[in-house]
Amino acid sequence: MTPIMASHKNSTFTSSSCSTDVVTNSTLVVPVTSAWSWFLLKVNCLQHFGVEAVLRCDCCVINMVQMEEAKVSCLSLLTYHRELLVSRLRSIQCILDNLLAGGFLCEEDVEIVQRTVTKTDQVRKILELVQCKGEEACEYFIFIIYNVHDAYIDLQPWLKEINYQPSKEVTVMKVVNTDPISRYCAKLRHDMNRDTSFIMSYGQKEETRLEDLYTDTVMEVLNNCNESLGFLESLDQLLGDNSVFNPQGEIIYVMGDAGVGKSILLQKLQNLWSQKELQTDTIFFFKFRCRMFSLFKDTDQISLRDLLFKHSCYPDHDPDNEIFDYILRFPEKVVFTFDGYDEIQEHVDLMNVPEVVSPEDKASPLQLLISLLCGKLLKGSKKVLTARTGIEIQSTVIRKKVMLRGFSPAHLKVYIDLHFKEQEHRDLVSVQLNASPYLCGLCSTPLFCWIVFKSFRHLHTMHDSFHLPDTCVTLTNIFLLLSEVFLSRLASPAPSLLKKSTRCTSETFTAGLRPLAAFAKLALQSMERGSFICNQEEISACGLTEEDLPLGFLRPVSEIDANGSPATFEFLHVTLQSFLAAFALVLDEQAAPSSILKFFTECSRKRQQFCLPVDFCISSSSRSSEKKPFAPNEHLQFTNLFLCGLLSKINTGLMGHLLSPVLLRKKQALLKSYLSTSVRSHLQGLPHHSASDGKVVHVLSNFLWMLRCIFETGSKDIAQMTAKGITAEFIKLGYCNIYSGDCTALNFVLQHRKKLLGVDMDNNNISDYGVMQLKPSFCKMTVVRLCVNHLSDSSIEILAEELCKHKVVKTLGLYNNHITDAGAKLVAQIIEECPKLRNVKIGNNKITSVGGRYLANAIQKSTSIFDVGMWGNSIGDEGAEDFAQALRNHPSLTNLSLSANGITSKGGKCLAEALKENKVLRIFWLVQNELTDVSAPHFAELIKANTGLSHLWLIGNQFTVDGMRHLAEALTHNTELKEICAKGNQLSEEEEKEFQSEKRLRFH
C-alpha cells in the first residue's frame, strides 16, 4: 500500500491506490479523523496539485476511519488556529529575537511589530510576517513555542492537541530563550545560588560551603492535633503533597526549638532549587526573613509588586510587565519562604487594618505578609514558614506541619565526619561525647553542636591539653566556650608554631572585657527595644570599633550603605544575643542589683493564648502585649537562663575577674532568693486533681523553664526545695516540648525527691540521650510514660536495668517508638521481674512474632499484669498463638489489644479457643486485622461460653453478613457481653439493618 505523497519543496504527487491512508509533509503529524484536518488536507492538494489531486483525495474518504496520521503544513495550522494564537500568545520578545537571529525576519520587520499598539495586533503582525516567509518560518515559529515551555505555558495544550512533533530539520535550528520570564527565573536562580552556597559567616573570617557541612535533621510530620504522621526522608517531600492534612491551607509550617536548624534547612531548600536539584516545577522562588518586616517605618506602604521586585529580586528585562502578570496567573509556580515568624516585632495596632486582596494595592508590609500567608494574595502559591516551637497558628491556613527534632545519632555521626577531617579528631570527639550523655543531648541541637565542635577544633589547635568538658556541662558553658573562641582572636599571634601548653579562660575574658562588655550592652539595648537588627550608629554608641566587628559576635545583614559597607548587623544567632544580654546584666555596675530580674518579671506576666496569623485573634491584659501582639518571650527566657548560669557557683571564679566580687555576691544572693520564692509560688499554683494513682499535677509551660534555670544555677538547695515542693504522686509533662538536654535538668531536681513519683513524659523529644540522663531518677518512678519519644532498643536496655533493679514501677508506656524484637525481649524481662507492674503500652513499634513470643511468655508468668497494649505491631498468627497460650487461665490480665497486627483467622481461632478458658479478660481489641468468616464460629463459641468478656472490638476486619449471623446468634446465649463493635467489615448498609434488633452488635 503506497501512500499519497505531497511535498511543498518538490511539488510532486504520487498515488497507487484508493486505500491510501497518509498524506506526508515535512512538518507535523495530525490525526485526520477530525473535519478541520481533512479540510486542510484538501486545501493543500488544491494549492499545489490542482483539482485532480483533490478528487483523488476525495476517493480516500471511504478509508478515512483506517487513517491514523496525516501531516499538515505549519502554514495551514497558523491560518486555522490564528485566533487561538492571538488570544493566548502573550510574550513576543523571545519569538522576535529568534526569528531575527534565524534570518526569518529583518530589523525592519521587528520594528513594524514593535510599532504596533496592542499586544494582540503585534501577534497578528508576527503571524502575517511569518506566513509570508513560508513553511520553514512557520515551523520555526511553532518550534520556538515548543522549546520555550515556561514562557508559552498557555499554548502547551494546543501543541498536544495538534500532536506536534518537531521535524529533524527544525530540531537542528538553535532557539535562544530571551523570554523575560525565563530570564527572571535564571536571575533568581543565580542570585539565590550566590546567597545560599555558603553558610552565613559563623565568624566573618571564615566561610564554609553549605554542601560541605549541611546535615539532615529529623523532620517529623504532624497533623492538626500535633500527632505524628511519620517522617520526611528528604527536602523534596517538604513541598510535596504527602502528609498534607488540610488541602485548603496555604502554609507549610516548620517548627522547632532555638538552634534546631530551621534557617539552615530553608537555605538548603533554596540552594537545591537554585541548582535545579529540587524536584519541583516551581519557576519563581522568593526568600524573606520575617524580621525584615520590623525594619519598615510605621508609615511605610508597599504593594505585592514592591515586595517581590524591590525587596527580593528586580526584573531587568520586562518592559511589558509580563513577569508580574505571569505570577498572578500561575501562583502555583511560586514558592515563598518566610524565616523566623517569631522574630516579628510590630508596634502598630493591626486590629483595624483591612485585608489586602488586590496585588496592586499598597498596605503595611506586615499586613501584606499576613494576606500572603492566609491566601488573600496569590492563593495557590506555596509558602514555607518557620517559627520557634510554641508559636501557634490557626490550622485553617496550615497545609502541612513539620517539626524539626534535631540530629539523630546517625545524623550526629555524619556531622562529626563533615566537621572533622582528621580521623584522630573524629575518634577523640566521639569518645568524649559518648562519655557525656548530657553533652550528647545538647549536640542533638545543630547550633549547640556547631558551637561545641567549633570550640573543640579552635581550642585544640591552640592548646595541647584541651578536651570537651567531662562533667555535666550547662548551656551557659557552651556559650562561654563560643565567647572564648571569639575573644581569643584578640590575642597576638604566637611567636612560634608551637601550641601554648596551658589554657587560661579567665585571662582570655579579662583581655577581651572591653569588646565583650560593648557587645553585651548592644545585645541588651536591642532586646529592650524588641529588635534583632542594629545599625552602625547603635554599634558605635556602645563603644564598638571597626576592629571589633570581625570577632564573630555580629554578622552583616545583606543591605549595604552608600560606601558599600554593611549598613546593619545582627547577632550570630538570637540565642547568642540572649546570652550577651544576660552578660550585660551581670557586668552592669551602675544599675541597681535588682535590675538583673527585669526579664523574669516580664516573663512571669500572665498572657492569654493567642493564635497567629490571619484574623489577629490576639488579646492580652497588658499594655505591652497590645503594642507587640506577635512578640514571643522565649529569647527573654533564654536571657534568664543564661543569667542563672553566669551567676552560678561554678562560674564565680570567672565572673570574679570581670566585676566587683562584692557586687557579684550580692547579685548571686538576690537571684537565689528570687528563684526560691518563685519556685514555691509556682508549685503551689499548679493545677491538680485526684485520680486512682493519687494526686495528679499537670505542669504549666513555665515549669520547664524553671527547671532549666535551676539546673543552670547548679544550686542543690533550690533543687531540693523544688523536689520537696512537688507534693503530687503523679506529674504530667506530656506535650511540654522536652528535648534530651532538658532531662538532665529534670533529673537534677527529681534525684532529690525522697518519695516515689509517677512521671508522664509522653509526646516529647527525649530520645535515647534523654533516657540516659534520667537514669538516676528511674529508681523513684512508679509510672514511666515515654510514648512518642523516638526511643530505640538502647533506651529499653537502660530501663530494664534500672526498673528491674528497683522493682517499683506500676505503669510502663512505650507506645510509638522504634523498639524492635531485641527491645521487646527487654520489656518482657521487666514484665517478668517487676511484681508491681500492671500496665504496659508498647504498640506501634517494630515488634514481630519473635518479640511477640517474648512478651507473651512474660505475660503468662506475671500475676500482676492488668492491661497490655500491642496495637500496631506485626506479630501475625505466630504471635497470636503465643498470646493465646498466655491467656489460658491467666489470673490478672483484664484488658488486651492485639489490633493492627496482621492476625488472620488462623490466629483468631487460637485466641477464641484460649479465651474460653479465661474468666478474667474483660476488654479485647482485635481491630484492623484480617479476620474472616472462617473464624466467626470460633468467636461465636467464645461468646456462648459467657466467660465474663464485656467488650469485643472487631472493627476493620473482613467479616461478611454470614459471619455476623454467627456472632448475633451467639449473643442470644450471652448475658455478660456489653458490645461487639463490628464497624468497617464487609457488610452493606442493607445487610447491617438485619441486626438492628441486636443492640449489642454495633456497626456505627
Side-chain angles (χ1 to χ4, degrees):
M1 181 171 58
T2 306
I4 299 176
M5 303 297 298
S7 173
H8 172 62
K9 292 182 178 179
N10 54 29
S11 297
T12 61
F13 180 89
T14 61
S15 176
S16 61
S17 74
C18 289
S19 61
T20 302
D21 60 359
V22 174
V23 176
T24 306
N25 196 285
S26 63
T27 53
L28 70 162
V29 179
V30 184
V32 297
T33 53
S34 57
W36 70 265
S37 55
W38 181 244
F39 168 76
L40 290 177
L41 181 61
K42 293 174 68 176
V43 170
N44 269 329
C45 292
L46 183 61
Q47 287 178 339
H48 303 299
F49 314 113
V51 176
E52 182 181 354
V54 175
L55 293 175
R56 290 184 182 181
C57 287
D58 281 338
C59 78
C60 298
V61 174
I62 299 172
N63 296 318
M64 185 61 67
V65 177
Q66 302 173 8
M67 293 183 181
E68 295 179 355
E69 296 178 330
K71 287 197 172 182
V72 181
S73 73
C74 292
L75 190 151
S76 301
L77 277 172
L78 296 187
T79 301
Y80 187 86
H81 292 285
R82 181 182 180 85
E83 289 309 312
L84 180 144
L85 292 167
V86 169
S87 63
R88 294 189 187 179
L89 192 61
R90 296 173 180 269
S91 178
I92 63 169
Q93 190 61 50
C94 183
I95 290 176
L96 286 176
D97 291 341
N98 282 281
L99 288 173
L100 179 63
F104 294 102
L105 296 181
C106 62
E107 293 285 355
E108 184 179 350
D109 293 331
V110 175
E111 290 178 7
I112 291 172
V113 173
Q114 291 175 338
R115 284 199 301 268
T116 307
V117 179
T118 66
K119 180 72 68 177
T120 53
D121 286 341
Q122 288 178 337
V123 176
R124 288 190 178 97
K125 183 60 68 175
I126 292 174
L127 290 173
E128 290 174 7
L129 291 170
V130 167
Q131 288 176 299
C132 288
K133 304 297 181 180
E135 178 66 19
E136 188 178 7
C138 291
E139 180 175 10
Y140 185 58
F141 173 88
I142 298 177
F143 183 60
I144 296 170
I145 297 172
Y146 171 83
N147 208 282
V148 187
H149 179 279
D150 290 341
Y152 303 108
I153 192 169
D154 286 335
L155 289 170
Q156 299 310 306
W158 173 69
L159 292 177
K160 290 182 180 179
E161 178 187 333
I162 64 173
N163 197 22
Y164 176 71
Q165 295 295 331
S167 64
K168 293 181 180 179
E169 291 82 358
V170 77
T171 54
V172 299
M173 302 177 71
K174 186 177 181 181
V175 174
V176 179
N177 190 347
T178 62
D179 172 66
I181 295 167
S182 301
R183 284 185 174 183
Y184 186 61
C185 177
K187 183 180 181 182
L188 277 172
R189 290 188 191 275
H190 174 270
D191 290 355
M192 193 165 290
N193 185 258
R194 178 198 62 206
D195 295 341
T196 61
S197 291
F198 291 87
I199 297 176
M200 279 190 68
S201 190
Y202 278 164
Q204 298 171 39
K205 292 182 178 179
E206 52 199 61
E207 285 189 332
T208 305
R209 289 193 64 84
L210 178 68
E211 62 186 27
D212 292 339
L213 201 58
Y214 176 81
T215 306
D216 286 329
T217 58
V218 177
M219 298 178 286
E220 185 175 15
V221 189
L222 308 177
N223 63 14
N224 61 322
C225 298
N226 290 327
E227 297 168 336
S228 179
L229 298 176
F231 298 88
L232 298 182
E233 297 178 0
S234 68
L235 285 179
D236 288 319
Q237 296 178 343
L238 183 65
L239 298 179
D241 292 333
N242 54 312
S243 302
V244 170
F245 67 83
N246 178 19
Q248 304 304 316
E250 293 283 318
I251 299 171
I252 300 170
Y253 187 34
V254 180
M255 306 172 291
D257 293 338
V260 80
K262 301 181 292 294
S263 298
I264 202 75
L265 178 140
L266 289 190
Q267 185 175 339
K268 182 64 175 178
L269 186 75
Q270 295 153 3
N271 187 259
L272 288 173
W273 180 82
S274 72
Q275 300 185 67
K276 299 183 179 180
E277 294 177 4
L278 192 66
Q279 294 180 13
T280 176
D281 59 354
T282 297
I283 296 176
F284 306 108
F285 200 128
F286 299 100
K287 62 183 180 72
F288 298 98
R289 301 182 68 194
C290 290
R291 63 174 58 176
M292 69 165 276
F293 291 92
S294 300
L295 298 178
F296 290 97
K297 298 177 181 178
D298 291 348
T299 56
D300 284 346
Q301 300 272 303
I302 63 173
S303 65
L304 177 61
R305 186 193 301 270
D306 295 332
L307 180 67
L308 301 184
F309 298 158
K310 291 184 179 180
H311 299 282
S312 182
C313 182
Y314 184 78
D316 296 324
H317 308 285
D318 188 25
D320 298 325
N321 294 318
E322 294 178 25
I323 297 171
F324 192 63
D325 178 60
Y326 189 96
I327 289 172
L328 296 181
R329 292 175 56 236
F330 301 103
E332 67 276 6
K333 299 291 185 180
V334 183
V335 169
F336 293 91
T337 58
F338 298 101
D339 188 23
Y341 193 67
D342 52 287
E343 296 177 0
I344 292 176
Q345 301 291 328
E346 185 60 38
H347 298 270
V348 298
D349 179 13
L350 298 174
M351 299 297 292
N352 298 314
V353 179
E355 292 179 335
V356 183
V357 296
S358 169
E360 302 294 344
D361 288 350
K362 290 182 179 289
S364 72
L366 184 58
Q367 185 60 42
L368 197 66
L369 169 64
I370 300 302
S371 296
L372 270 171
L373 292 176
C374 69
K376 298 296 182 182
L377 289 175
L378 287 188
K379 183 174 180 60
S381 58
K382 294 184 176 71
K383 296 105 178 177
V384 183
L385 178 71
T386 69
R388 286 194 183 183
T389 308
I391 301 297
E392 292 299 326
I393 297 181
Q394 287 185 348
S395 295
T396 53
V397 298
I398 298 178
R399 178 177 178 83
K400 180 190 295 187
K401 190 182 292 187
V402 178
M403 174 69 80
L404 300 189
R405 298 296 190 182
F407 289 150
S408 68
H411 292 142
L412 184 57
K413 185 180 184 305
V414 171
Y415 193 68
I416 291 173
D417 291 345
L418 289 175
H419 209 95
F420 299 101
K421 303 306 178 186
E422 303 85 0
Q423 188 61 43
E424 176 190 357
H425 287 172
R426 291 175 181 173
D427 295 339
L428 185 59
V429 168
S430 297
V431 169
Q432 294 186 38
L433 284 178
N434 292 334
S436 173
Y438 180 64
L439 193 56
C440 270
L442 282 177
C443 285
S444 67
T445 300
L447 172 65
F448 305 153
C449 188
W450 173 83
I451 294 175
V452 170
F453 288 179
K454 179 181 178 62
S455 303
F456 177 92
R457 191 170 60 183
H458 179 82
L459 296 175
H460 193 273
T461 59
M462 298 180 65
H463 310 287
D464 287 314
S465 60
F466 178 75
H467 294 275
L468 296 175
D470 55 0
T471 57
C472 197
V473 64
T474 65
L475 198 57
T476 304
N477 298 144
I478 296 296
F479 279 85
L480 282 171
L481 266 179
L482 180 65
S483 300
E484 182 181 355
V485 169
F486 287 161
L487 293 175
S488 67
R489 293 171 175 169
L490 291 168
S492 302
S496 69
L497 297 177
L498 296 176
K499 299 178 182 179
K500 295 181 181 179
S501 58
T502 58
R503 164 180 170 241
C504 183
T505 301
S506 59
E507 182 181 315
T508 302
F509 274 89
T510 302
L513 181 58
R514 181 199 60 78
L516 175 63
F519 281 117
K521 182 179 179 181
L522 178 65
L524 179 60
Q525 289 180 352
S526 298
M527 191 163 291
E528 287 175 333
R529 65 172 182 269
S531 174
F532 300 101
I533 303 291
C534 45
N535 56 38
Q536 288 281 7
E537 184 179 344
E538 293 163 345
I539 290 172
S540 300
C542 289
L544 288 166
T545 65
E546 193 171 326
E547 290 73 25
D548 297 328
L549 297 183
L551 289 180
F553 291 101
L554 293 177
R555 63 184 179 190
V557 180
S558 55
E559 292 84 356
I560 59 174
D561 61 18
N563 299 322
S565 301
T568 54
F569 289 81
E570 63 185 1
F571 284 91
L572 174 65
H573 194 275
V574 67
T575 313
L576 176 62
Q577 183 176 354
S578 297
F579 171 77
L580 291 171
F583 229 124
L585 293 173
V586 174
L587 294 177
D588 191 349
E589 299 188 1
Q590 304 301 319
S594 59
S595 65
I596 65 172
L597 304 176
K598 62 195 305 180
F599 293 134
F600 277 107
T601 305
E602 186 163 345
C603 289
S604 64
R605 289 177 186 155
K606 293 183 178 180
R607 299 183 179 182
Q608 297 178 12
Q609 288 284 340
F610 56 82
C611 204
L612 305 175
V614 183
D615 60 356
F616 306 112
C617 296
I618 306 161
S619 59
S620 175
S621 57
S622 69
R623 191 72 181 165
S624 171
S625 294
E626 290 176 5
K627 291 182 179 179
K628 299 180 182 180
F630 290 88
N633 63 9
E634 190 174 82
H635 55 291
L636 304 183
Q637 297 277 25
F638 269 112
T639 303
N640 294 334
L641 179 144
F642 289 127
L643 182 70
C644 293
L646 292 171
L647 292 176
S648 66
K649 186 176 181 180
I650 195 172
N651 286 320
T652 298
L654 173 62
M655 301 308 295
H657 288 86
L658 306 180
L659 77 159
S660 160
V662 175
L663 183 58
L664 175 61
R665 287 193 293 271
K666 193 170 184 178
K667 291 186 176 183
Q668 286 175 325
L670 190 65
L671 177 64
K672 185 175 181 180
S673 174
Y674 177 84
L675 281 178
S676 300
T677 304
S678 297
V679 167
R680 284 195 203 94
S681 175
H682 183 86
L683 292 175
Q684 290 171 0
L686 288 176
H688 64 272
H689 67 274
S690 297
S692 58
D693 295 322
K695 185 179 176 182
V696 179
V697 167
H698 202 308
V699 302
L700 303 176
S701 57
N702 275 350
F703 182 80
L704 186 58
W705 282 106
M706 183 184 76
L707 292 180
R708 290 168 176 168
C709 287
I710 293 170
F711 174 64
E712 291 288 327
T713 65
S715 171
K716 291 185 178 180
D717 294 339
I718 301 177
Q720 288 172 348
M721 185 192 68
T722 305
K724 187 177 179 180
I726 301 175
T727 58
E729 288 80 22
F730 189 9
I731 183 169
K732 289 192 173 185
L733 292 159
Y735 290 102
C736 281
N737 197 38
I738 299 173
Y739 84 108
S740 55
D742 293 324
C743 292
T744 301
L746 180 60
N747 179 71
F748 185 67
V749 170
L750 292 185
Q751 67 181 346
H752 296 290
R753 182 180 171 89
K754 296 179 180 179
K755 297 180 180 179
L756 297 178
L757 179 69
V759 182
D760 177 354
M761 292 174 283
D762 289 350
N763 296 283
N764 285 294
N765 190 30
I766 288 174
S767 77
D768 295 335
Y769 297 132
V771 172
M772 283 189 277
Q773 294 158 59
L774 287 169
K775 185 175 180 179
S777 295
F778 288 131
C779 62
K780 299 181 178 70
M781 292 189 189
T782 58
V783 176
V784 180
R785 290 190 59 94
L786 293 167
C787 301
V788 198
N789 266 295
H790 314 290
L791 307 185
S792 72
D793 293 337
S794 61
S795 288
I796 313 307
E797 189 174 347
I798 294 172
L799 287 172
E801 178 185 348
E802 294 300 310
L803 298 182
C804 292
K805 183 191 302 181
H806 301 285
K807 303 183 189 306
V808 297
V809 66
K810 297 178 181 178
T811 296
L812 180 60
L814 296 170
Y815 173 79
N816 198 2
N817 283 292
H818 309 298
I819 302 168
T820 69
D821 291 333
K825 185 176 182 180
L826 294 167
V827 173
Q829 179 187 348
I830 297 171
I831 294 172
E832 193 170 337
E833 297 184 17
C834 294
K836 297 181 181 180
L837 184 61
R838 289 174 54 79
N839 307 296
V840 174
K841 302 294 184 182
I842 194 172
N844 205 24
N845 280 283
K846 301 175 181 178
I847 300 172
T848 69
S849 59
V850 175
R853 178 173 291 112
Y854 293 134
L855 293 168
N857 291 340
I859 290 168
Q860 186 176 15
K861 297 175 184 177
S862 173
T863 58
S864 62
I865 199 72
F866 173 83
D867 185 357
V868 174
M870 281 284 292
W871 188 311
N873 286 294
S874 304
I875 66 170
D877 289 335
E878 291 184 35
E881 291 172 9
D882 291 318
F883 267 90
Q885 190 62 34
L887 285 170
R888 294 181 189 274
N889 299 309
H890 198 283
S892 62
L893 185 61
T894 306
N895 303 333
L896 175 63
S897 172
L898 295 179
S899 298
N901 265 284
I903 299 172
T904 70
S905 291
K906 179 182 177 183
K909 173 184 175 182
C910 294
L911 289 166
E913 292 293 333
L915 281 176
K916 288 193 291 185
E917 302 176 34
N918 183 299
K919 302 298 182 183
V920 176
L921 194 70
R922 295 292 178 265
I923 301 175
F924 191 25
W925 287 37
L926 284 170
V927 174
Q928 294 176 6
N929 280 296
E930 300 168 24
L931 304 176
T932 67
D933 291 343
V934 174
S935 61
H938 302 280
F939 280 104
E941 290 300 317
L942 166 63
I943 295 168
K944 290 177 181 179
N946 225 12
T947 61
L949 184 68
S950 58
H951 300 272
L952 178 60
W953 283 50
L954 300 173
I955 296 172
N957 281 280
Q958 299 171 18
F959 292 108
T960 70
V961 66
D962 293 331
M964 287 299 116
R965 286 173 181 148
H966 283 286
L967 302 184
E969 193 278 330
L971 279 172
T972 62
H973 305 283
N974 186 291
T975 58
E976 299 289 337
L977 201 55
K978 295 180 180 179
E979 65 172 355
I980 298 178
C981 296
K983 178 182 177 181
N985 280 277
Q986 297 178 0
L987 283 78
S988 66
E989 290 186 13
E990 287 299 318
E991 289 172 334
E992 290 176 0
K993 291 178 181 179
E994 179 181 330
F995 308 101
Q996 285 180 342
S997 60
E998 180 49 76
K999 302 299 183 183
R1000 291 180 293 173
L1001 188 56
R1002 300 175 180 175
F1003 296 96
H1004 302 285

